[in-house]
Structures are given as C-alpha cells and as structure tokens.
Amino acid sequence: MRLYPSKPDKVYFYATCLIDMFDPQAGLDAIDVLEANGIEVIYVEKQTCCGQPVYSSGYDDDSRAVAKSQMALFPEPYPIIVLSGSCGGMMHHHYRRLFKGQPEQGQVDRFCDRVFEFTEFLVNVCRIQLHDQGEPTSVVMHTSCAARREMNVHVTSRALLAQLDKVELREQAYESECCGFGGTFSVRHPDISQAMVEDKASHIRATSSDHFISADWGCLLNINGHLAFEKQELQGYHIASFIKQRTTPRVIASQDTPLTSTQRDRL
C-alpha cells in the first residue's frame, strides 16, 4: 500500500504528449485546479513522451533512453503530477523495472516515488474538498486499463465525482473492459480494436449521460473518434476540465459587459 506525503507547496506538472497535441486546455484546467488549492505548478517545456509506446513494443534499451531524458528534467524533490493514469503507471511502476539492477536503480526509485496521477494526487495528497457550482447533470466515466490496474484511477476519479453533489455518475455496462486503444495495440490489431471500441461506445451511449469523461486522453481519442465516425454529438473530455467547470462559479455579466468565449461555454 502506498504511503502518501503531506500536501506540498510546489509540484512539477507532466502534461503528457497526447494532452499537449490534442487537448492543451485540459492541461491548463488541471493547472488551474492545482493552483486554486494553493500549489505552485512548475511546467517543464522540454518534456516529451514518457516512453510507454516503445516500452510496450519491447524495446527496453530505447525505453531507458527516453526515461533518462525525462527524469533529468525534474531534478528538484517536488512531486510530479501526471495527467494520465497510463503514463503515471509507466513512470511510477515500469521505470523501476527498466532500471532494476542498474547503477541508477536507487535514483530511479526515488524519482518513481515522486510520481502521482492527477486524481490520485488530489484525493490522497491534497485531500481536496470540491464545491459543486454547476447545474444538475449526469456523467459516464471510462477508465483506461493501465490506469485502473496500476494507479487505481477508477477509485480516485469516483471519489472526486462523489464530492460534486449535483452530478449523477451513471455506470456503463462492462465498465472495466478495454476500449481497444492500448497504445500500439490499436495499430497492430486494428480490426480487433475497432470491434472493442464499437462495444465501448455503445455502452457509453446507452447510459444517456449528459457528459462523458476520462482521465486518459488515449482512450478519449479512440472513443471520440468512433463517436464522431458514427456522427454522434457526444464527445468525451478530460476529468480535469470537468472538475474545473463544476467548481468555477458561473459568471453573469451585465448588458454592457460582453461575455468571453469561455464564459459563454460555462453558461
């Protein structure tokens, strides 16, 4: 069982390459949530991929090279908050395996101890208390396989949503089943992946939820792509953005004050 530290004053923020490429707003929303809880957030611009795709393809030497380049970016002893359960699992668990028996093992273990997935950090380190500012709504959640097995993101995500008293969490059938993404799996086995995402999208739609969220953008990319292919209006987004939206007070402007695009989206 993991022992959690007290809430820190500063953290490093590891956005992940998928957030950087496909949904940078989710990264900004996560930073806003952390800063609203009195934490200074440090973003290192040179961060890239955590190395999971090459690792899952069996290239340990290349994986170690990627891991070394990433670990070197975070020299101070601050916690490292990762905006993906699968990337968090790679950095917290699998970096240890890569360097087991290597001269760097002790240094790597200390680095891995500092890695926390975003929802895990909010619940178990910050012990955050959310105050729902939104209207009554419903949501369905998907948790990636790696995030569920390695970082217990399904537990901490549910704990956060349970604090939002006007949000109804609806459960999809076969919730723990994979969406078919699996990083390189979807490339190597496209037909199997397609069948899996068809099932997952069908189960999500069957809940008739207002919102669909996940803590992993790889799964969101896969499921959203299929929903768009089916011409469905429902599109998923990151739990960090959902929390930011639900905990930000609604802004009602006077007739003389035009709304920003962000404010209009929240109304």
Side-chain angles (χ1 to χ4, degrees):
M1 184 175 180
R2 186 171 190 179
L3 297 177
Y4 289 99
S6 58
K7 177 181 171 182
D9 296 324
K10 296 181 181 181
V11 299
Y12 286 119
F13 186 74
Y14 196 89
T16 78
C17 49
L18 289 180
I19 289 289
D20 182 53
M21 289 187 292
F22 295 105
D23 190 15
Q25 186 60 50
L28 295 173
D29 290 340
I31 290 173
D32 284 346
V33 171
L34 293 168
E35 290 180 339
N37 282 271
I39 298 173
E40 180 182 342
V41 179
I42 302 169
Y43 180 81
V44 181
E45 293 187 3
K46 291 184 179 180
Q47 61 183 267
T48 59
C49 178
C50 67
Q52 185 188 51
V54 69
Y55 175 74
S56 62
S57 297
Y59 298 100
D60 284 1
D61 289 341
D62 293 326
S63 301
R64 275 188 283 270
V66 174
K68 286 180 180 179
S69 70
Q70 296 310 291
M71 290 188 290
L73 299 175
F74 306 97
E76 299 299 328
Y78 310 137
I80 303 157
I81 313 307
V82 184
L83 209 54
S84 164
S86 56
C87 298
M90 176 66 188
M91 298 170 76
H92 179 67
H93 293 290
H94 297 291
Y95 278 14
R96 299 180 197 271
R97 177 198 169 271
L98 281 169
F99 291 91
K100 186 175 182 180
Q102 301 282 327
E104 306 94 335
Q105 181 177 345
Q107 179 183 355
V108 172
D109 285 343
R110 289 188 292 274
F111 173 88
C112 294
D113 288 341
R114 294 193 285 131
V115 173
F116 300 89
E117 184 272 334
F118 175 70
T119 65
E120 173 196 25
F121 181 77
L122 292 182
V123 172
N124 294 322
V125 179
C126 293
R127 291 175 171 76
I128 195 171
Q129 295 297 315
L130 302 177
H131 301 286
D132 198 349
Q133 304 287 332
E135 297 297 322
T137 193
S138 58
V139 64
V140 59
M141 181 179 68
H142 170 74
T143 307
S144 82
C145 306
R148 177 179 290 268
R149 292 192 308 266
E150 298 174 350
M151 303 300 284
N152 289 319
V153 173
H154 60 301
V155 175
T156 47
S157 293
R158 283 176 174 272
L160 291 172
L161 295 175
Q163 295 183 25
L164 301 173
D165 54 9
K166 287 177 279 188
V167 173
E168 175 194 358
L169 175 60
R170 296 181 180 176
E171 293 190 14
Q172 57 174 297
Y174 307 103
E175 180 182 325
S176 63
E177 286 192 356
C178 179
C179 73
F181 177 63
T184 55
F185 174 85
S186 60
V187 177
R188 293 178 174 180
H189 307 285
D191 293 337
I192 299 174
S193 177
Q194 175 68 20
M196 294 170 74
V197 76
E198 286 177 1
D199 285 347
K200 178 60 63 174
S202 174
H203 297 323
I204 288 171
R205 292 199 318 272
T207 66
S208 299
S209 298
D210 298 323
H211 304 279
F212 156 45
I213 61 173
S214 179
D216 277 87
W217 240 98
C219 298
L220 285 171
L221 191 65
N222 190 38
I223 300 169
N224 280 347
H226 184 73
L227 290 170
F229 177 77
E230 291 187 328
K231 296 181 171 55
Q232 300 290 327
E233 291 186 5
L234 181 66
Q235 286 284 285
Y237 55 106
H238 199 278
I239 191 172
S241 295
F242 187 72
I243 291 172
K244 169 71 183 302
Q245 292 169 11
R246 297 300 301 187
T247 56
T248 300
R250 297 173 71 229
V251 177
I252 305 297
S254 69
Q255 288 183 321
D256 298 330
T257 307
L259 295 177
T260 66
S261 61
T262 302
Q263 290 169 344
R264 285 196 299 270
D265 289 342
R266 289 175 180 159
L267 296 176

